[in-house]
Every structure is written in C-alpha cells, then in structure tokens.
Amino acid sequence: MRRFKSLWGLGIPAAATVILMALISSLYYNNGSLRKSSVAAFNPADETVLSDSSLVDDLSGLPLKLHISQADWDDGTLSVDLKVTEEPVTVQTVYKDLAEMLTFSFVDKANVDQLYLRFMAVDQWTGARYLLLAANVSRGEWDPGLLEELRGMKDEPFPERMVQAYRLTQTNLWLKQFSRE
C-alpha cells in the first residue's frame, strides 16, 4: 500500500505536466501561430547592391588576377587598390582586371555610383607603393560599348575616348612599363 501511495504521489504531477503541455500546444496550434510552411534559415542580402557588410565577400568572389590591397565603400563610392608586384604582370592582366571591376561596379551592382580604381606597384623589399594607373569612373558617364572594347584589347594603348570616359591617369611608370607606343 505504501508503494502505491508513493507512485500515486509521483503520477499526479507527471500527468498534470503532460496535460498542461497538451493544452499549451493546442492553444498555440489553434491560434494560427504554427504554420506548415518551409522558411529559409537565413535571408541572404540582396546581391545586386553593395554594402559595408558584403564588401569583403563580394570583392573576394571576383576573378581578379591581381590582389586587392585596399577597398572602401562609402555611400555609393567604391574605392579599390589593386597590387602589382614583382611577378611578371602583362598589360592584358591589367585590362582584364579593369574590365572585371567595371562589370562588378556598374553591371552587377545597382548602387555603385562612382568607382575609384588604382593599380599600385609595390616594391617587395621596401614596401614602397607607386601609382601606375588610375581610373575614376562614374555610373552616369560610363559606356558599356567601351567595356566590350576593353575586353578585346591585347597590348595596345588605351584609345583616347577610353582615357576620357574612364578618366584614366597613366603615370610615367605605367607608360614606361606597359605602353607599346
């Protein structure tokens, strides 16, 4: 009899807990809070816009031959420095990376209004940085036709209309190292 009383004493709280949980779940289900639909575990950011939080991931996904040494995003303005090191870099590599950055900024991303792109030569011994080539391109002034022309260029110098449209600054070091004029 004593055993029966001790089991009875444990059974009442256990049964009450089960009944209470059943009532809570039925209220939750009947209230419409429980939906039978699949929901994404996370909501990825809009891939057509650039933001501070997506800058590193977006730029690291680009198929660039040169390495990014600096990047900054500030309210519609993207600034990127590409590093040209001692390894042999061809003019086609620079043209390809310029075209990739233009495509990324003005075709892939809807909120880049201005691109400042610099190609910097970096001395491996001293760490000194020298400007080779710079582009200052505005969304309102860029020409998709010139982008296709840039993609087709081999080792010829930039045509004057491209220099004007992309506001290219070609330093003496660039002209000495890469120009075939």
Side-chain angles (χ1 to χ4, degrees), residues 158-177:
F158 290 109
E160 187 56 34
R161 65 186 176 288
M162 194 175 290
V163 170
Q164 295 301 318
Y166 294 158
R167 288 191 225 114
L168 294 174
T169 301
Q170 303 173 74
T171 64
N172 288 334
L173 187 56
W174 167 263
L175 295 172
K176 181 179 174 185
Q177 190 69 27

Side-chain angles (χ1 to χ4, degrees), residues 45-46 49-58 73 109 111-112:
D46 186 359
V49 295
L50 191 60
S51 67
D52 286 329
S53 61
S54 70
L55 178 65
V56 172
D57 290 335
D58 287 346
W73 170 250
K109 301 299 175 191
N111 64 333
V112 177

Side-chain angles (χ1 to χ4, degrees), residues 1-64:
M1 181 88 161
R2 204 181 252 180
R3 278 186 170 176
F4 184 67
K5 284 185 180 180
S6 67
L7 287 176
W8 182 256
L10 290 175
I12 291 175
T17 302
V18 169
I19 292 170
L20 184 62
M21 292 301 287
L23 285 172
I24 290 173
S25 66
S26 69
L27 285 173
Y28 183 72
Y29 183 77
N30 289 336
N31 193 21
S33 299
L34 185 62
R35 294 189 178 116
K36 294 183 179 182
S37 64
S38 62
V39 177
F42 65 95
N43 189 9
D46 186 359
E47 293 180 5
T48 62
V49 295
L50 191 60
S51 67
D52 286 329
S53 61
S54 70
L55 178 65
V56 172
D57 290 335
D58 287 346
L59 289 177
S60 66
L62 290 176
L64 299 173

Side-chain angles (χ1 to χ4, degrees), residues 79-149:
S79 302
V80 177
D81 285 358
L82 295 178
K83 183 170 46 174
V84 178
T85 56
E86 294 296 320
E87 59 192 54
V89 173
T90 64
V91 72
Q92 292 94 343
T93 300
V94 174
Y95 290 169
K96 181 188 175 306
D97 283 1
L98 174 58
E100 285 297 329
M101 287 303 304
L102 289 167
T103 301
F104 172 78
S105 299
F106 302 121
V107 176
D108 299 344
K109 301 299 175 191
N111 64 333
V112 177
D113 297 321
Q114 191 76 33
L115 172 65
Y116 294 114
L117 180 62
R118 297 188 309 176
F119 292 86
M120 305 294 294
V122 180
D123 185 303
Q124 72 179 19
W125 298 102
T126 65
R129 297 165 42 101
Y130 305 97
L131 178 66
L132 290 172
L133 177 70
N136 174 2
V137 188
S138 171
R139 177 178 293 278
E141 298 174 4
W142 93 287
D143 180 2
L146 283 178
L147 177 62
E148 290 310 311
E149 186 176 341

